Coordinates of all heavy atoms in Angstrom, one line a residue:
D18 N 16.6 -5.8 -31.7 CA 15.8 -6.7 -30.9 C 15.8 -6.3 -29.4 O 15.1 -7.0 -28.6 CB 16.3 -8.1 -31.0 CG 15.9 -8.7 -32.4 OD1 15.1 -8.0 -33.1 OD2 16.4 -9.8 -32.7
Y28 N 10.4 1.1 -17.8 CA 9.2 1.1 -17.0 C 9.4 0.8 -15.5 O 8.8 1.2 -14.6 CB 8.2 0.2 -17.6 CG 7.4 0.7 -18.8 CD1 6.6 -0.1 -19.6 CD2 7.5 2.0 -19.2 CE1 5.9 0.3 -20.7 CE2 6.8 2.5 -20.3 CZ 6.1 1.7 -21.1 OH 5.4 2.1 -22.2
S35 N 8.9 4.3 -6.0 CA 8.2 4.3 -4.7 C 9.1 3.8 -3.6 O 8.8 4.1 -2.4 CB 6.9 3.4 -4.9 OG 7.4 2.1 -5.4
V101 N 25.6 14.1 -25.4 CA 25.0 14.0 -24.0 C 25.0 12.6 -23.6 O 24.5 11.7 -24.4 CB 23.6 14.6 -24.0 CG1 23.0 14.5 -22.6 CG2 23.6 16.0 -24.5
K155 N 34.5 16.4 -15.2 CA 34.7 17.5 -14.3 C 33.4 18.3 -14.1 O 32.6 18.4 -15.0 CB 35.7 18.5 -14.9 CG 37.0 17.9 -15.2 CD 38.0 18.1 -14.1 CE 39.4 17.5 -14.4 NZ 39.5 16.1 -14.3
V159 N 26.5 23.7 -10.3 CA 25.4 23.0 -9.8 C 24.2 24.0 -10.0 O 24.2 25.2 -9.7 CB 25.5 22.8 -8.2 CG1 24.3 22.2 -7.6 CG2 26.7 21.8 -8.0
E174 N 24.0 18.6 -10.8 CA 25.4 19.0 -11.2 C 25.6 18.8 -12.7 O 25.2 17.7 -13.2 CB 26.3 18.1 -10.4 CG 27.7 18.5 -10.4 CD 28.5 17.7 -9.3 OE1 27.9 17.4 -8.2 OE2 29.6 17.3 -9.6

Side-chain angles (χ1 to χ4, degrees):
D18 287 350
Y28 280 171
S35 57
V101 182
K155 302 265 182 288
V159 173
E174 193 167 323

